[in-house]
Structure formats: structure tokens, C-alpha cells
Amino acid sequence: MAIDKAGVRERRRHRGDNRVTIEDVAKQAGVAPITVSRALNTPEKVSARLRERIDQAVETLGYVPNLIAGGLASAGTRVIPVVVPSLSILTFIEVIHGIQQTLEAAGYQVLLGSSDFDLDREAALLDSVLGYSPSGVILTGLRHHESTVRRLKAWGRPVVEIMELGDASIDMNVGVDNAEVGACMALHLLERGYRRIAFLGTGMVRDYRARERYEGHREALAAAGVESELLFQQDEPSSYEVGRQLFLEALEARPDLEAMHFANDNLAAGAILEANRRGMRVPEDIAIGGYLGLSLGEHLTPRLTTVTVPRFEMGVEAAKLLLARLKGRSPALPRVDIGYELTVREST
Amino acid sequence: MAIDKAGVRERRRHRGDNRVTIEDVAKQAGVAPITVSRALNTPEKVSARLRERIDQAVETLGYVPNLIAGGLASAGTRVIPVVVPSLSILTFIEVIHGIQQTLEAAGYQVLLGSSDFDLDREAALLDSVLGYSPSGVILTGLRHHESTVRRLKAWGRPVVEIMELGDASIDMNVGVDNAEVGACMALHLLERGYRRIAFLGTGMVRDYRARERYEGHREALAAAGVESELLFQQDEPSSYEVGRQLFLEALEARPDLEAMHFANDNLAAGAILEANRRGMRVPEDIAIGGYLGLSLGEHLTPRLTTVTVPRFEMGVEAAKLLLARLKGRSPALPRVDIGYELTVREST
DNA sequence: CTGTTAGCGCCTTCAG
DNA sequence: CTGAAGGCGCTAACAG
């Protein structure tokens, strides 16, 4: 009456997928499927003899586990979605690199998602991606849709928010204090004696972290009683070209400017390269400061003064937090200030 | 005798995962689960009335499909693993960007993998990643383990190999002819009248595509009867710093050099920036050519002559090939030469 | 340490 | 156009 379980004839009805399954391995090794499963996932729970026989069977049959089936049965896959605002911004790439390297070494795969600075898209992406029952999630920033936050909190698995620092994180958090970073460069410029200082950025409508840096800058100047702090902005992504344009526009609009604080090194580099081309002296004619610590900065003439943030390390740290939680260790510090460093060179 | 299927009591035995399932939605809408499935995946096969009721139930319950279960049942997930040699090389990042943008717009997710230029690691990665029953795969280069090739061919789903061009691809292929690219710059330098020309690269032990460009370069020079063509190399990844070092070493070893052909723009930019610093004239004292078409090149002084390859577009094209095949359309051209362009500027 | 049993949640197949 | 039945391949739970 019952279907002949031992026989092969009833199998493979759905599709002609002739992949080797755990059952094939089990048969070959003369054990139960579950034993193969254990030999593969928790070898220490299987006797050496069986383990050997099973390994051999796996080898000869060329068995490759179906992670989807495993994921369904155990309600989780070794996948970690990483959602960033953009893949065209080097910063995020470097963070992703750190994440990917660390997670892959631990046997996890990174599922890449890009929200394009749009919280709706972020929410939709997360919805979709959570459908893969990932082990955890890494996402950018502390600002999300209310529904995203709620869902993730209810989800109960590790979540790391990166790039900025705050006390209202969903779960774990690693990043920098952007306002502090902005203030840091502003203070440096003040110390150098500059008073006519502009902050130049782009795409700041979308990128609130850049806005936070600007806020920090503005407040630092205000505290020092320095009046004019202007802000040029466009809605394009940062690039050398936009930096060049901002540089020229600022020079024209404010010929008396003494220093320019750029929202990032890409812009600042564009400015220095343009100054080079025009034979302008930096910092004598105009001082230039950046943010990020791109390697390009130290190859420019003059070398770029910048606030360096360890981006790769930030990714590594985020991944480590996640892995710690996955191993059951709840990290003592669910919040890591990755820090920053004022790198004073010759451009200021 | 039989388990009460309609009741809820027997459910959720494995884990306390209280996620909303398709069954919950079905109950709420007063239909069978399969109808919900159809309403979601093939709405045209469900009457408008039911569809509406189901959509409503989905909405009120906050149902999010379990892609893992769907993947198991239908033997495929909307995931596309992308395997590149390194995430620290800008080229691959830009290609990934193109891939990701195109695939995400079509409802697929990119699973990121990095092989570190190691075919063993590539094979292992693919094994693992194929366990997710992906819809297709994108990998770098045409050289792989024999077993990788065999397995992928037997797999029967779309595979795209990117970055280089050849007739022995597993399935589909989009890239450039590296030897041609190398020859292109070499010919340009010859045309400009340079005869003492060096090719400078790094990490070429691992990166055979750079070696192919060198080969093209060498043969072009040989064909023109130009004798000395030397090659400096180190085993570090490309960077401005390494470019600077190669530049200085080459100047010292061969003070009579007229032109330097760098394996990529990162190196070439490092060289130009160092020349700037030393007040050397480019191209009068030394001509410099690159490869890639990084935007930095056009902001240098002098602007960098380079061979531009549309990297983002290459990613887009690879993704499009894959999507076409997934939609059942077998592309007329399973092989796309993405081409390149000699961008002549002032550095040569 | 090993096996049995019963699903994980969805979709394919086959009927109506 | 809608539904019933069963299985995708694996592992959790519970014995022995």
C-alpha cells in the first residue's frame, strides 16, 4: 500500500534533476541519511569509522549538499544580505570588501543589495531578502522605515547597522559619529588660522550622513564665533569632476575664500587636481580638506589633509559582531565606534 | 487517525517560527494555498475576484513568501552568484555594479563571491554556491578547473564568463580581447615615435589577463622590429603607490626610457602624480599610457592616454545575456565583444 | 553514537 | 480557473 521507500522508482517525480542527494550517499555508505547529515555538519557527533565511509561516499558520488533544502529544514541559510545605498560609492565598496572577506572565511555568503538611498526600496529589498531565511543582516545607517525596524526587531536574528553611530540601533551598530568628524576638520581649519571657510558637498539631499558632517562643521565654526560658513551642493554623486566644478564655482562666488572643507576625498581630489592645472597654490591660495582617507590623497601635490575612517576595518568589525552573535556569544559591546583620525598633510 | 490537517495544533513542531505562511493567507482569503501561490506568481491565471481577496489577505497578514521553500519546491532560486577574483580591484567592482543593477531590477539577487585569483577556491566557492540552486552564474575569466567546467556544463543553467573573450566558453561570454588591448596601446606608442618602451605591471603572476595584455604589447613591438621591451613586475595588487615605485625603479634601471605602458590606470596615475611631484615633464621626459579609462585619468595633468573598457556596461551586458536565457530566449550571440577604445590624451 | 519519523513551506502534477 | 495530493532534500525531535 505504502510507497516503496527503499526503491528508486517513485523518486524524482517533480523534475528530472538528477543531482546526487543525501539519500544516495547514505545508501552508498550503508547508513541513514541523518547520519550523513551529521557527518557533514557536526562530524564530532559521528564515529570515525562511519565518518570515513561517508566521506568516501561523498567523494565518489560527487555529492554537493542542497543548501536550499537544508535551509528549509533548519529554518536558516548561511547567507547574509548586505544592503548599502549605492555601489558606485567607493566607501561602501570598501566596507563590503571587509564584510565579504570576513564572512566568507567563516562560511557565509554575502547577498548584495542596493537601496539607492531610498528607504522604500530598502524596505522592499529587506522583505524580499528575508525570504531567504538569512542568518543575519547588515544594513546601512540608523534611519529606516518604521516597518523595517519593527520587522527586524521581531525577526530576532543578528542585525548590524553600519556607517554611523547612535543609541537607537535595531540590534548592533558599528560606525563613526559623522558630526564629530565634520567638527574635527572644521576645528583643524580654524586652528590653522583660516576664517573664511566653506563646506562643499553634493548629493546631500539624499545622503544625510554628509549632512551630519556639515552640521558638525557648522556648529564648530559657530562655537568659535566664525560667521560665514556656506554650503554649495548639487544632487549628483561625488566625483572628481563634481569636485572640480564645486571648486571653480566656489572660487567665483567667494573669491576671498581661504579654505574649503569638502564632504569627501573624491571631491577634494578633484579640487586639488584642478588647482594643479591652473597653477594655483594649495594651501597658500586656498586650503583644501577632505574626508575618508582615500589613498589617492597622499599622492597628490600637495598631499591631502583629510579625516581618515577605517572603512575596510568597519566592514570586518561588523562581520565579526554578526559572527559572534551567531556563535551564541552575545558581544559585550553591541556598539563599536570605529573611530577616525585627522590626517594632517600639506593641503591645509 | 490521520493528523488533523485543518487544525493548527499539529503545526509548528520543528521550531517556534511564527511566520505567516501561504496557508495562513489561504485560510484568510478562503481559498486553497495553491491559489495564493498562483495569485502571487502568475496572477493572470487567477480570476480578478480571488486575486483581489488574496492581495488583501497578504496585506493584512503581512505575508512575506519564504523563498527557500519556494526554491526547494521549484528547484531554483532567484539568486545569481557572481564570482570575481578580488573585491579590492576597482574594475571588478564596476562590473559587479552593472550586474547588480540590472539583475536587481529584474528581481534577482546577487550573491557575491571572491576567489582571490585561486582556481581551487573558485571551484569550492561554486560548489557551495550551487547548493543554493541559483538561476544562473556569472564568473570571471575563461580559465577554470576542469571539474568546474564539467560541472557547470552538466548543470544546464545559464553561465556567463566575463572580462575576457574566447571561443571555449562554458556557455555565454562577454569581455574584451586582452592581447588586442595590449597591442593597441603599444601601436599607439610606436606611432607616436617612441622606441624605448617598457611595459610595467604588478601581480601578473596571478593575473593572466594582464599577462595577455603584455603579450599583445610584446608582439606588437616585435612585429615593428622594436627590440627592447622590458617588463617590471611585483606581486602586489595595483595601487598608486606601486605605480609610483615602478615608475622610479624603471627610471633608474633604464634612464633612456621614452615611454611606459602601464598594466592599468591605477599604476599609470601613480606614475604621473610622482612625475608631477618631481617636476618631470610628461610626455616630454617620459610618456605614460594606461589601461581601463578610470575617471581620474582625465583630471591628471597631463591627462592620461589610456585604453578605455566599458566596465559597467560589461556587467550590464552579462546580466542581460543571463536574463535573456532565463526568459527562454536563447540569445543569438552567446558571445559579446564589449570592445575598447583608445583614448588619446596628453600623456603620450 | 545511530536511526525513525515527521515535517520545513511551497509548488508540480494531475484532476475537475 | 480552482483544488487535492504529494514531494523537493534535508534536518529537528525523539527514541534506542
Side-chain angles (χ1 to χ4, degrees), chain A residues 42-276:
Chain A
T42 49
E44 70 277 9
K45 292 187 177 173
V46 172
S47 70
R49 254 193 56 236
L50 284 191
R51 212 186 312 143
E52 197 172 328
R53 243 164 55 204
I54 290 168
D55 286 348
Q56 177 129 16
V58 165
E59 185 68 25
T60 60
L61 294 177
Y63 171 66
V64 176
N66 182 329
L67 271 18
I68 290 294
L72 181 58
S74 63
T77 56
R78 291 173 78 86
V79 162
I80 312 284
V82 175
V83 180
V84 296
S86 164
L87 284 180
S88 61
I89 297 179
L90 200 54
T91 317
F92 298 120
I93 300 296
E94 295 176 304
V95 177
I96 289 173
H97 186 192
I99 293 172
Q100 201 269 342
Q101 191 161 305
T102 311
L103 289 184
E104 194 168 304
Y108 291 82
Q109 304 297 142
V110 166
L111 198 65
L112 207 54
S114 150
S115 72
D116 203 22
F117 287 100
D118 179 340
L119 296 189
D120 289 332
R121 277 183 56 73
E122 183 187 70
L125 243 174
L126 274 169
D127 261 7
S128 143
V129 124
L130 288 182
Y132 288 111
S133 300
S135 300
V137 159
I138 297 180
L139 66 173
T140 306
L142 292 167
R143 304 192 189 175
H144 316 282
H145 256 196
E146 193 232 331
S147 66
T148 303
V149 174
R150 198 168 356 96
R151 180 155 295 167
L152 249 21
K153 275 186 172 158
W155 189 46
R157 291 191 191 180
V159 175
V160 184
E161 291 165 282
I162 58 174
M163 300 310 294
E164 64 186 291
L165 216 53
D167 46 6
S169 66
I170 296 172
D171 181 13
M172 298 178 282
N173 177 213
V174 25
V176 287
D177 184 322
N178 283 279
E180 251 186 46
V181 161
C184 173
M185 175 60 74
L187 289 174
H188 166 71
L189 293 173
L190 287 172
E191 250 174 44
R192 281 288 207 238
Y194 303 113
R195 285 301 174 271
R196 303 195 154 284
I197 304 171
F199 184 97
L200 319 218
T202 177
M204 293 174 63
V205 181
R206 324 192 81 186
D207 185 356
Y208 67 84
R209 282 174 292 273
R211 286 206 303 278
E212 288 176 349
R213 291 198 291 280
Y214 167 64
E215 274 308 309
H217 162 96
R218 199 183 55 68
E219 281 169 18
L221 291 195
V226 171
E227 73 266 41
S228 81
E229 67 285 345
L230 32 161
L231 162 72
F232 295 82
Q233 67 172 59
Q234 294 175 224
D235 196 21
E236 278 176 65
S238 288
S239 65
Y240 304 120
E241 179 56 25
V242 168
R244 180 180 151 274
Q245 289 168 16
L246 285 171
F247 175 72
L248 295 178
E249 285 167 23
L251 282 181
E252 181 151 12
R254 296 289 312 268
D256 58 341
L257 221 48
E258 294 170 342
M260 298 186 185
H261 178 179
F262 281 92
N264 60 57
D265 283 0
N266 289 292
L267 298 174
I272 289 190
L273 289 167
E274 181 62 22
N276 287 163

Side-chain angles (χ1 to χ4, degrees), chain A residues 277, chain B residues 272 275-276 280-284 286 288 296-305 345-348:
Chain A
R277 169 149 299 175
Chain B
I272 288 188
N276 288 163
M280 289 180 66
R281 292 167 311 160
V282 177
E284 293 82 356
I286 183 78
I288 291 177
L296 176 58
E298 55 188 309
H299 291 277
L300 297 170
T301 307
R303 298 184 310 151
L304 178 64
T305 293
R345 294 195 282 231
E346 295 82 39
S347 73
T348 51

Side-chain angles (χ1 to χ4, degrees), chain A residues 3 12 22 37 41 63 73:
Chain A
I3 294 164
R12 307 282 147 63
I22 205 170
S37 171
N41 299 318
Y63 171 66

Side-chain angles (χ1 to χ4, degrees), chain B residues 3 13 15 22 34 37 41 63 66 69 73:
Chain B
I3 294 164
R13 239 204 329 233
R15 316 140 261 305
I22 205 170
I34 183 62
S37 171
N41 300 318
Y63 171 65
N66 182 330

Side-chain angles (χ1 to χ4, degrees), chain B residues 11-333:
Chain B
R11 306 193 49 233
R12 306 281 147 64
R13 239 204 329 233
H14 264 200
R15 316 140 261 305
D17 202 341
N18 49 9
R19 262 184 70 154
V20 180
T21 72
I22 205 170
E23 203 181 325
D24 301 326
V25 176
K27 229 167 277 170
Q28 168 94 5
V31 297
I34 183 62
T35 306
V36 176
S37 171
R38 283 199 273 252
L40 260 29
N41 300 318
T42 49
E44 71 278 8
K45 292 187 174 172
V46 172
S47 69
R49 255 194 54 240
L50 283 191
R51 214 186 312 145
E52 196 172 330
R53 244 167 51 207
I54 289 168
D55 286 347
Q56 177 127 15
V58 165
E59 185 68 27
T60 60
L61 294 178
Y63 171 65
V64 176
N66 182 330
L67 272 17
I68 290 293
L72 181 60
S74 64
T77 56
R78 291 173 80 84
V79 162
I80 312 283
V82 175
V83 179
V84 296
S86 163
L87 285 180
S88 61
I89 297 179
L90 199 55
T91 317
F92 297 121
I93 300 297
E94 294 175 305
V95 177
I96 290 173
H97 186 194
I99 293 173
Q100 201 269 344
Q101 190 161 305
T102 311
L103 289 184
E104 194 168 304
Y108 291 83
Q109 304 296 143
V110 166
L111 198 65
L112 207 53
S114 151
S115 73
D116 203 21
F117 286 102
D118 180 338
L119 296 188
D120 288 332
R121 278 183 56 74
E122 182 187 69
L125 244 173
L126 274 170
D127 261 7
S128 143
V129 123
L130 287 182
Y132 288 111
S133 301
S135 300
V137 159
I138 296 180
L139 65 173
T140 307
L142 292 168
R143 304 191 189 174
H144 315 282
H145 257 197
E146 193 231 332
S147 67
T148 304
V149 173
R150 198 167 358 97
R151 179 156 294 166
L152 250 21
K153 275 186 172 158
W155 189 46
R157 291 192 191 179
V159 175
V160 184
E161 290 164 283
I162 59 174
M163 298 310 294
E164 64 185 291
L165 217 52
D167 46 6
S169 65
I170 295 172
D171 181 13
M172 298 178 284
N173 177 213
V174 26
V176 288
D177 184 322
N178 282 280
E180 250 185 47
V181 162
C184 172
M185 176 58 75
L187 289 173
H188 166 71
L189 294 174
L190 287 172
E191 251 173 43
R192 281 287 207 237
Y194 303 113
R195 285 301 173 272
R196 302 194 154 284
I197 305 171
F199 184 97
L200 319 216
T202 178
M204 293 174 64
V205 180
R206 325 192 80 184
D207 186 356
Y208 67 83
R209 282 174 293 273
R211 287 207 302 277
E212 288 176 349
R213 292 198 290 280
Y214 168 64
E215 274 308 309
H217 163 95
R218 200 182 56 69
E219 281 169 17
L221 291 195
V226 171
E227 72 267 41
S228 81
E229 69 282 350
L230 32 160
L231 161 73
F232 295 82
Q233 68 172 62
Q234 293 176 225
D235 196 19
E236 279 176 65
S238 288
S239 66
Y240 304 121
E241 178 56 23
V242 168
R244 179 181 151 273
Q245 288 168 15
L246 286 172
F247 175 72
L248 295 178
E249 284 167 24
L251 282 182
E252 180 153 10
R254 296 289 311 267
D256 58 342
L257 222 46
E258 296 169 341
M260 297 185 186
H261 178 179
F262 281 92
N264 61 56
D265 282 0
N266 289 292
L267 299 174
I272 288 188
L273 290 167
E274 180 62 21
N276 288 163
R277 169 147 300 175
R278 309 194 151 228
M280 289 180 66
R281 292 167 311 160
V282 177
E284 293 82 356
D285 297 335
I286 183 78
I288 291 177
Y291 161 71
L292 274 189
L294 294 190
S295 68
L296 176 58
E298 55 188 309
H299 291 277
L300 297 170
T301 307
R303 298 184 310 151
L304 178 64
T305 293
T306 189
V307 176
T308 303
V309 175
R311 303 171 296 282
F312 181 86
E313 290 74 10
M314 181 153 59
V316 170
E317 210 51 51
K320 279 187 179 166
L321 277 185
L322 204 64
L323 290 172
R325 170 83 37 105
L326 286 174
K327 279 177 192 144
R329 288 184 275 121
S330 60
L333 308 165

